[in-house]
Amino acid sequence: MRKRFNLLTVLLQIGVVILFIFGIYLFLNRNQQPVHQGNGKAKTEKRSQKKTSADQTTALPDVSPDDWELVLVNRDHITAEMNPDLTDINSISVDSRIAEKTREFLAAAQAIDASEHLISGYRSVAYQEELYNSYVAQEKANDSSLSQEEAEKQVQTYSQPPGASEHQTGLAIDMSTVDSLNQSKPETVAKVAELAPKYGFVLRFPKDKKHATGIDYEDWHYRYVGVKSAKYMTKHNLTLEEYLEKLKEK
Ligand SMILES: [Zn+2]
């Protein structure tokens, strides 16, 4: 009888313990539910934050098409003498504001190929005129049947008329391993062009963009546009003409 009583007490005690554990389980579960929801919400927020920052990387940089780095000079934008403040790097002049970045870019290019060197930088409109006229005279000398117009058309495949060359901005450099256009090793050009945006430069006249730039491929002509713009333009395969259109639409 006593044993039975003991057994009953033990069973009751076990029952109470089970009920107690079950109660705790329910209680914890109920408390955990909002925590789960909270986590879920936080995750969703994180995800949407991620989405926002991804959107921001595809969004245009916070620059103005009127910034000095983005000045557009081409045959459709003939520009008068600009007279920038100049700094010489290895006897090549550039706008003083980009001198440091130019030095860094040159050094980085030389780390890829030691023969990388500056060929041209700032050229005044007056000097471009001399250069252009001398090229036209050369074309005529080579082929006396050429008219002035035909000779100029020929020259414009490799040189710009006065007022139409980006070199007058002081923001453009020609840099290559050799002194002839499009004669550098394509692998070297690709490597240099890839690191250019880090220093604010873009390869200005890419192969497939004559429709936008009006100029045939040039493996040596780099243009300073600022780091933010250079990275964006390279990532989205935009020329300065195309990029400025987008900035103006904004
Ligand atoms: Zn050039």
Side-chain angles (χ1 to χ4, degrees):
M1 186 74 192
R2 201 174 163 190
K3 254 188 186 171
R4 227 185 183 181
F5 175 75
N6 276 349
L7 194 68
L8 209 69
T9 312
V10 168
L11 279 175
L12 267 173
Q13 277 172 349
I14 289 171
V16 165
V17 167
I18 286 171
L19 270 176
F20 181 70
I21 288 171
F22 186 65
I24 284 176
Y25 171 78
L26 277 183
F27 175 78
L28 282 180
N29 226 20
R30 199 190 296 158
N31 263 1
Q32 266 172 6
Q33 247 167 2
V35 174
H36 271 306
Q37 272 172 3
N39 273 350
K41 211 180 169 189
K43 265 182 201 160
T44 317
E45 269 166 20
K46 257 186 197 164
R47 232 177 272 143
S48 62
Q49 268 173 5
K50 252 188 199 165
K51 207 182 166 193
T52 311
S53 63
D55 286 347
Q56 276 166 354
T57 51
T58 53
L60 284 161
D62 184 22
V63 296
S64 159
D66 299 323
D67 288 344
W68 63 268
E69 300 103 314
L70 298 177
V71 64
L72 183 63
V73 176
N74 59 26
R75 266 175 264 165
D76 296 326
H77 296 81
I78 300 287
T79 310
E81 208 76 81
M82 294 167 80
N83 302 308
D85 271 338
L86 298 172
T87 298
D88 279 5
I89 302 163
N90 305 341
S91 70
I92 298 294
S93 304
V94 295
D95 184 311
S96 299
R97 291 171 289 190
I98 70 159
E100 202 47 50
K101 284 277 188 274
T102 306
R103 273 193 209 99
E104 288 171 15
F105 181 33
L106 175 63
Q110 285 171 338
I112 290 168
D113 188 322
S115 51
E116 286 283 353
H117 62 286
L118 296 178
I119 294 158
S120 190
Y122 172 74
R123 297 200 292 260
S124 67
V125 176
Y127 180 65
Q128 185 69 26
E129 187 164 16
E130 265 179 52
L131 207 62
Y132 182 79
N133 289 341
S134 77
Y135 289 144
V136 173
Q138 225 169 57
E139 291 295 337
K140 280 176 155 179
N142 290 346
D143 182 351
S144 55
S145 71
L146 287 182
S147 67
Q148 173 74 18
E149 204 186 324
E150 285 166 338
E152 286 202 37
K153 206 180 163 197
Q154 184 59 31
V155 169
Q156 285 182 19
T157 62
Y158 57 86
S159 181
Q160 297 311 302
S165 168
E166 215 171 41
H167 283 279
Q168 73 191 58
T169 64
L171 305 175
I173 53 167
D174 295 334
M175 182 175 74
S176 182
T177 55
V178 289
D179 285 335
S180 310
L181 182 62
N182 299 343
Q183 297 301 313
S184 199
K185 273 190 214 150
E187 314 90 78
T188 309
V189 176
K191 278 183 199 163
V192 174
E194 196 187 333
L195 62 81
K198 194 178 165 191
Y199 306 97
F201 286 88
V202 290
L203 187 68
R204 179 71 172 87
F205 306 120
K207 264 178 189 156
D208 55 339
K209 291 288 189 174
K210 197 187 174 179
H211 62 274
T213 64
I215 297 189
D216 283 308
Y217 176 58
E218 287 196 12
D219 72 345
W220 68 14
H221 186 106
Y222 289 92
R223 164 63 197 269
Y224 184 84
V225 291
V227 174
K228 273 189 276 184
S229 294
K231 285 186 174 169
Y232 186 89
M233 287 166 67
T234 304
K235 185 177 174 190
H236 297 275
N237 188 30
L238 295 172
T239 64
L240 184 55
E241 285 82 1
E242 294 166 327
Y243 178 57
L244 286 171
E245 278 304 310
K246 281 195 177 287
L247 284 179
K248 282 170 190 167
E249 278 166 20
K250 190 167 78 167

